[in-house]
Structures are given as C-alpha cells and as structure tokens.
Amino acid sequence: MSISGAQGKSLVLKYENNEIIFNLSNEEEGLLDTVSMDLETSALFVTLLNQGVVSAEEINRKFKKEGIKLQKIQDVGTCFANESRVSIAILPADEKRTASILIGIHKEDEHSSIIIKPKRAAYLSISITKMLINTME
C-alpha cells in the first residue's frame, strides 16, 4: 500500500514479522528512509495521526469560514519506534494551501519527512488499522 505526498515523495506500508514498516521514497533518489514499528507503537501512531487529521480539518474549516490562520507548525506527538522517532505535526493553512500533516522520521542526526493532506492521512490511518486488526485474527 502506498500514500503519495508533496514533493514527489511516497510512503509505502507493509507488514512483516509483527511489525509495520514504512518505506519513504521519492522519484529521483529512490528509498529515502525506512522505519519499523511494533504493533503497540503502530497503534499509538494511528491514534496520533487521527488526532492530527481532526485538528488539521478544524484548522482548514476555521481558515475558510472565519479567516483564522495558524501561524506556526503545531506538534501533535511522537512515537518511539525501534531505531528512530516518528513525529506528527500540522503545517498551517494559508491563501495558497490547506493545513497538511507532516510525518517526520528522525534517526540520530538524520531526518526525513513527508507532507500529506488530511484525507490521505486518514486513509493511511485506516490502512494501518486494518493491518493491526488482521494481526489479531
């Protein structure tokens, strides 16, 4: 399963050895980063992602109806995966774009990220949830 984001990046999900694996890649350089999460961390990631989606949609609604702008990046939370951290934040809405979800992968001094719209983030969340449910059966 793959989710495409801004700047030609995509996030490919797979399930192996009781872990959810994210492979972040782009068109030019190929694989940029990979991170694996155990099932409990994946469940926490889904919860934080859902919170980010709801918050981003609320920000978009306030901007469209009332003109209220979020001035800076809003942190949602961080999961500590096996060898890295995975963070979720909301990028502000303005005249040129809607609020988006930033998923960052942090390993020591290396950082990579993907920016996706709230609807795609919701789809990502449902996809991970389906993988988690399938492991319980």
Side-chain angles (χ1 to χ4, degrees), residues 21 24 35 38 44 47 77 86-87 95 103-104 120 132 134:
I21 300 168
L24 180 63
V35 65
D38 61 27
L44 175 60
T47 302
V86 181
S87 61
E95 293 80 13
I103 300 173
R120 289 191 183 180
L132 292 171
N134 288 339

Side-chain angles (χ1 to χ4, degrees), residues 1-3 7-14 16 21-36 83 105 107 110-114:
M1 205 224 78
S2 177
I3 299 288
Q7 303 154 340
K9 294 180 181 179
S10 62
L11 190 62
V12 178
L13 289 177
K14 61 183 177 178
E16 287 181 4
I21 300 168
F22 295 171
N23 289 321
L24 180 63
S25 61
N26 70 9
E27 298 165 350
E28 299 85 35
E29 299 173 30
L31 185 65
L32 297 173
D33 211 341
T34 189
V35 65
S36 60
E83 69 284 347
I105 300 170
K107 295 180 180 176
E110 298 177 24
H111 308 285
S112 55
S113 63
I114 185 168

Side-chain angles (χ1 to χ4, degrees), residues 1-131:
M1 205 224 78
S2 177
I3 299 288
S4 58
Q7 303 154 340
K9 294 180 181 179
S10 62
L11 190 62
V12 178
L13 289 177
K14 61 183 177 178
Y15 173 77
E16 287 181 4
N17 302 325
N18 282 335
E19 292 185 325
I20 305 283
I21 300 168
F22 295 171
N23 289 321
L24 180 63
S25 61
N26 70 9
E27 298 165 350
E28 299 85 35
E29 299 173 30
L31 185 65
L32 297 173
D33 211 341
T34 189
V35 65
S36 60
M37 291 186 237
D38 61 27
L39 301 179
E40 292 85 4
T41 304
S42 299
L44 175 60
F45 177 80
V46 166
T47 302
L48 293 172
L49 189 58
N50 287 339
Q51 181 180 346
V53 168
V54 171
S55 296
E57 284 299 306
E58 182 67 15
I59 290 165
N60 288 331
R61 184 190 66 76
K62 284 182 179 179
F63 179 72
K64 288 177 184 174
K65 291 195 177 202
E66 303 165 24
I68 298 171
K69 292 184 195 179
L70 176 67
Q71 297 297 323
K72 58 183 180 176
I73 295 173
Q74 181 178 326
D75 185 41
V76 176
T78 301
C79 297
F80 293 90
N82 293 339
E83 69 284 347
S84 59
R85 297 182 337 265
V86 181
S87 61
I88 300 171
I90 303 168
L91 299 177
D94 61 23
E95 293 80 13
K96 297 177 189 172
R97 59 187 172 265
T98 59
S100 298
I101 308 292
L102 173 84
I103 300 173
I105 300 170
H106 313 283
K107 295 180 180 176
E108 296 177 19
D109 295 339
E110 298 177 24
H111 308 285
S112 55
S113 63
I114 185 168
I115 300 168
I116 55 178
K117 297 294 180 192
K119 288 180 183 178
R120 289 191 183 180
Y123 181 71
L124 173 63
S125 174
I126 294 294
S127 300
I128 296 170
T129 300
K130 185 176 179 184
M131 287 179 179

